[in-house]
Amino acid sequence: MTSHAPAVKPAPDADATATDRVYAAIYRAVLEHRLAPGEWLRETELATEFDVSRTVVRQALQRLAQDQVIELRHNRGARVPLPSLEDAAHVFEARRIVECEVARRLGGGLSPSQLEALSTIAQAEIAADQRGDRAEAIRLSGEFHQALTRMHGNPVFDRLLNGLLPTTSLLMARFKVDGGQVCVAHRHVDLISALTQGSTQAAAEMRKHLAELERSLVNAPVRSRRLRDAFSAYREPSSSESPAT
């Protein structure tokens, strides 16, 4: 018999790892309202905040722009999108098409372990809201919708929702009446209950949930903060890379 040497794993790509980290941090900062709609993202400042090169920052920003999380403006740089109420109508129409169908197909068919997983997220969201941890409540709200879509098993639906959630969050940051979390936590508990009852009930509850979110949007002033504060939760204490000068 001919022996085969074990496959050698390629060395990790340090730039790719750093790019993923910057991408994930900006994505979450948008989702959690740590970045205001319309806020500019300067490469030099981001490189300093994440202790990476400007090349890494540029790669992350290009990926984020491809996923429509941020905008790249010619000769001006990157900024967080500034969605309008007209954009809201388009976003929620798309979410209804995806998520109501997901709920309809999953209604009455989720396993006890899947229902428990959804309940764990919903209860954690309620707890975060009660202790005033707004960013965590917002993160868990998005995680609930993502988990439900993943349970459906269609990766295209998953990608579509991941692209819609940051814009939804920006709309909530800009237009929501009380500036509160993206979803009302108890609505997720109601949705879990509807998912145990059947397809029709699940789809109807999801439609009601999304309609409630859309109706909560009104004209409101844009709130902003220092870029350093927006990323304080994601900053790592040390890195092998040095920021560009």
Side-chain angles (χ1 to χ4, degrees), residues 118-222:
L118 291 172
S119 181
T120 297
I121 298 171
Q123 293 303 321
E125 182 189 354
I126 291 171
D129 186 42
Q130 289 176 341
R131 68 175 180 269
D133 191 342
R134 183 165 169 266
E136 179 67 0
I138 291 170
R139 184 190 70 77
L140 288 164
S141 173
E143 184 178 325
F144 181 93
H145 286 267
Q146 288 170 320
L148 195 59
T149 303
R150 283 195 300 270
M151 288 175 186
H152 175 267
N154 186 328
V156 177
F157 280 4
D158 196 31
R159 288 197 298 272
L160 287 171
L161 181 62
N162 287 342
L164 292 167
L165 283 176
T167 306
T168 303
S169 195
L170 289 170
L171 286 164
M172 293 296 165
R174 189 178 185 195
F175 297 117
K176 197 171 193 301
V177 176
D178 58 5
Q181 67 205 76
V182 174
C183 293
V184 180
H186 74 267
R187 286 298 185 205
H188 288 162
V189 175
D190 294 342
L191 185 52
I192 293 170
S193 177
L195 284 163
T196 66
Q197 297 172 33
S199 297
T200 301
Q201 295 92 331
E205 184 63 32
M206 178 64 81
R207 184 173 295 276
K208 176 182 175 182
H209 176 47
L210 294 175
E212 182 182 64
L213 292 178
E214 187 173 11
R215 285 196 303 269
S216 74
L217 303 179
V218 296
N219 281 308
V222 175

Side-chain angles (χ1 to χ4, degrees), residues 1 6 19 25-26 28 36 47 61 66 72 77 82-83 90 93 98 105 120-121 131 139 154 157 175 195 204 242:
M1 293 180 61
T19 301
I26 295 175
R28 283 190 58 180
L61 292 176
Q66 289 172 356
L72 290 179
L82 196 65
H90 298 154
E93 180 182 17
V98 172
R105 295 190 182 188
T120 297
I121 298 171
R131 68 175 180 269
R139 184 190 70 77
N154 186 328
F157 280 4
F175 297 117
L195 284 163
S242 300

Side-chain angles (χ1 to χ4, degrees), residues 25-38:
I26 295 175
Y27 182 97
R28 283 190 58 180
V30 171
L31 201 66
E32 297 173 7
H33 299 178
R34 296 181 187 275
L35 289 171

Side-chain angles (χ1 to χ4, degrees), residues 76-89:
R76 296 195 66 187
R79 78 166 190 173
V80 180
L82 196 65
S84 66
L85 285 175
E86 182 178 295
D87 294 324

